[in-house]
Amino acid sequence: MIEILDIRRKGRSRLRSVDVDEGAQTVHRLRALAVELNLLGAEFAQLHGLHTTDLRALICILDADRAGLAATPGWLGGQLGINSASVTALLDRMEKAGLIRRDRDADDRRRSLLAVTPRAVALGQTFFGPLIHRTAAVLDDFDAVEKATISRFLDGVNRAVAVERRAGPQRTDGTESRSRTRRAGDPA
């Protein structure tokens, strides 16, 4: 057991004890889930002649739409950690494949807004729909309080991962990694 500072929303925090073995087991389960989801995504990408970055871009654009955010090429580059030339090549490739479209922003004609096409949505639904339904069925076994706890846990894990991503990877030899000193896709 170790004590950690548990930082809650609205500025509340408290010390609490955490069973390291239980925490490690949970992290390993999450890692195994992440690996399975990555493998499934790679299978989808390969089946449709896409790169895994194309799939991540589609997910980012769909998530932005659900959140009511404007997905622009610059924003997408930030989400994917790639430079503007790489974003342009990615968007050209995805537009040619009929997966996204670039629309001029009505408020700022210099800016492009990205949208996923109905074709891309249909492809995703055909492939990932069964997983979505199976996952929803798993949730049916939980009551409302348990579902709220699961949501709170997943949101917390997402925040923890985001903090780690912003901090950047550390090399085990104590030196700073290249990705910490430059963005992915930028020249070395």
Side-chain angles (χ1 to χ4, degrees), residues 37 40-42 44-45 55 59 123-133:
L37 288 170
L40 187 64
F44 171 81
L55 177 58
I59 291 167
L123 282 175
Q125 186 60 36
T126 300
F127 190 86
F128 292 106
L131 173 63
I132 292 167
H133 294 298

Side-chain angles (χ1 to χ4, degrees), residues 113-181:
L113 298 176
L114 306 175
V116 174
T117 64
R119 177 181 180 275
V121 171
L123 282 175
Q125 186 60 36
T126 300
F127 190 86
F128 292 106
L131 173 63
I132 292 167
H133 294 298
R134 283 187 189 97
T135 302
V138 169
L139 278 173
D140 287 342
D141 291 339
F142 296 91
D143 64 34
V145 172
E146 291 171 319
K147 288 176 185 178
T149 301
I150 292 166
S151 290
R152 197 173 77 241
F153 170 74
L154 291 173
D155 289 345
V157 170
N158 275 323
R159 284 190 302 274
V161 171
V163 166
E164 285 301 309
R165 283 189 63 219
R166 281 192 299 273
Q170 300 280 333
R171 290 175 52 140
T172 56
D173 63 6
T175 61
E176 201 171 65
S177 76
R178 286 177 27 153
S179 62
R180 216 173 149 84
T181 58

Side-chain angles (χ1 to χ4, degrees), residues 21-109:
D21 290 336
E22 181 181 322
Q25 289 174 9
T26 300
V27 169
H28 292 305
R29 285 184 181 119
L30 288 170
R31 189 219 51 233
L33 174 60
V35 167
E36 287 297 325
L37 288 170
N38 281 329
L39 289 171
L40 187 64
E43 183 181 320
F44 171 81
Q46 183 178 11
L47 183 65
H48 296 287
L50 305 173
H51 189 277
T52 55
T53 304
D54 301 352
L55 177 58
R56 289 196 325 266
L58 288 171
I59 291 167
C60 286
I61 297 167
L62 286 167
D63 287 349
D65 184 57
R66 277 191 286 275
L69 300 173
T72 65
W75 172 86
L76 184 61
Q79 295 297 303
L80 298 174
I82 60 177
N83 64 28
S84 61
S86 296
V87 170
T88 299
L90 167 77
L91 294 176
D92 288 348
R93 182 173 66 243
M94 292 175 66
E95 194 170 40
K96 184 177 179 182
L99 300 174
I100 60 112
R101 67 175 197 275
R102 292 180 258 203
D103 300 322
R104 288 282 169 220
D105 186 342
D107 297 328
D108 182 352
R109 301 286 297 161

